[in-house]
């Protein structure tokens, strides 16, 4: 298994994004309408990762700097987007590996908090994030007014004790 950075508009990223949109349609009846562009995931403002198994793209995840207070973000926030593992590659720890790589990259870029939005119809995502140290926070972003939306965050910097 190899995880490597790619542009969000790379053909493998586009094909995996189509699959994740189909997953959202199955679970919620509609795709994710969050506006995303390749520049949002370009270092040092973000990164986008693709996991390959024998040359086949099987998982993705990215982060982008999001600090718009009007949408509920804070200075230093890095937002996770497009975490996805194809069904036949699930249960092998890929999402956890991508998540750890995204956290390390955002921390190295100077971000202080990793945030994400997911939904109640994705229990495996909620479990992954909770077991990785994420906790519920006040809602932010495009889906902050949706009842089935859940927002979570994890500090990327250690709290200083005096």
């Amino acid at each position: 298994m190899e995880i490597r950075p790619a542009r969000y508009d790379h053909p493998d990223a586009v094909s995996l994004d189509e699959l994740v949109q189909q997953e959202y349609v199955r679970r919620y009846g509609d795709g994710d309408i969050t506006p995303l562009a390749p520049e949002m995931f370009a270092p040092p403002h973000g990164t986008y990762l693709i996991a390959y198994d024998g040359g086949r793209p099987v998982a993705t995840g990215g982060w982008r700097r999001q600090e718009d207070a009007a949408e509920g973000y804070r200075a230093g926030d890095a937002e996770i987007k497009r975490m996805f593992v194809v069904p036949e590659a699930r249960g092998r720890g890929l999402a956890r590996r991508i998540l750890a790589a995204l956290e390390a990259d955002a921390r190295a870029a100077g971000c202080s908090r990793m945030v994400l939005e997911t939904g109640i119809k994705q229990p495996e995502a909620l479990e992954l994030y909770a077991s990785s140290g994420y906790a519920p926070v006040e809602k932010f972003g495009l889906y902050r007014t949706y009842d089935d939306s859940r927002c979570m965050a994890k500090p990327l910097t250690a709290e200083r004790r005096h």
Side-chain angles (χ1 to χ4, degrees):
M1 199 65 59
E2 180 187 6
I3 298 173
R4 49 184 201 246
R7 282 186 49 89
Y8 182 64
D9 57 358
H10 183 281
D12 291 339
V14 171
S15 66
L16 286 167
D17 193 59
E18 289 169 0
L19 292 174
V20 74
Q21 291 291 349
Q22 292 170 18
E23 184 90 11
Y24 295 149
V25 169
R26 273 193 300 280
R27 292 181 188 223
Y28 297 99
D30 203 357
D32 181 356
I33 58 170
T34 304
L36 297 177
E39 306 78 51
M40 294 176 176
F41 299 101
H45 307 290
T47 198
Y48 193 78
L49 303 174
I50 300 176
Y52 290 88
D53 183 6
R56 179 173 171 252
V58 295
T60 66
W63 74 268
R64 62 182 180 155
R65 196 175 298 270
Q66 282 290 88
E67 299 180 332
D68 185 352
E71 289 209 358
Y73 297 99
R74 296 183 195 165
D77 277 357
E79 182 182 31
I80 294 171
K81 295 301 293 180
R82 294 300 185 262
M83 285 287 293
F84 178 70
V85 179
V86 298
E88 57 274 20
R90 292 178 184 164
R92 301 191 331 207
L94 275 175
R96 202 169 292 282
R97 284 180 56 198
I98 289 174
L99 184 60
L102 293 175
E103 290 171 357
D105 190 73
R107 188 179 300 109
C111 295
S112 56
R113 185 174 81 143
M114 191 66 95
V115 299
L116 63 96
E117 184 275 332
T118 190
I120 61 172
K121 295 180 181 176
Q122 293 169 266
E124 59 280 273
L126 289 165
E127 172 55 32
L128 167 72
Y129 297 128
S131 70
S132 297
Y134 287 77
V137 293
E138 188 173 333
K139 288 186 178 183
F140 55 80
L142 183 66
Y143 292 99
R144 65 189 177 276
T145 61
Y146 288 61
D147 289 339
D148 59 0
S149 170
R150 295 294 179 268
C151 292
M152 302 176 86
K154 177 181 178 178
L156 293 175
T157 54
E159 296 290 325
R160 289 193 172 90
R161 294 202 169 106
H162 298 288

